Amino acid sequence: MKLFIAEADEATRVGLQPLSSELEVEFMEEPLSPENASKASDADLLSVFIYSKLTASLMRELPKLKFICTRSTGYDHIDLKEAERRGI
């Protein structure tokens, strides 16, 4: 299973690196966007912060996606209707 972590600063990388013993983990410093979504196209799991705007069209670029984790208090950057429609 592949975990893609967007908006990963050094602290995030250090804190989440132990997951790589159980999962294939890929980090990216930038927010996930339509321009770079292809980097996460094979991700099963996705971890983002507030600058990754997970719209319906962006989620369509992630066909294998099963789980979204936001590292924030709020979740208004995630299209919940699209996530629900897809069973995420």
Side-chain angles (χ1 to χ4, degrees), residues 52-82:
S52 294
K53 306 298 183 200
L54 300 183
T55 63
S57 62
L58 186 120
M59 282 191 243
R60 284 192 286 273
E61 300 294 318
L62 310 172
K64 294 179 62 181
L65 193 61
K66 297 175 183 76
F67 182 84
I68 299 169
C69 172
T70 183
R71 301 183 316 275
S72 63
T73 303
Y75 50 86
D76 59 338
H77 56 288
I78 301 169
D79 184 333
L80 296 180
K81 288 183 181 181
E82 177 64 13

Side-chain angles (χ1 to χ4, degrees), residues 1 13 15 19 22 26-29 37 50-53 61 67 76 85:
M1 216 172 247
R13 288 175 187 266
L19 294 173
E22 302 292 326
E26 187 172 334
F27 296 94
M28 178 173 74
E29 288 184 26
I50 60 173
Y51 301 108
S52 294
K53 306 298 183 200
E61 300 294 318
F67 182 84
D76 59 338
R85 187 190 72 71

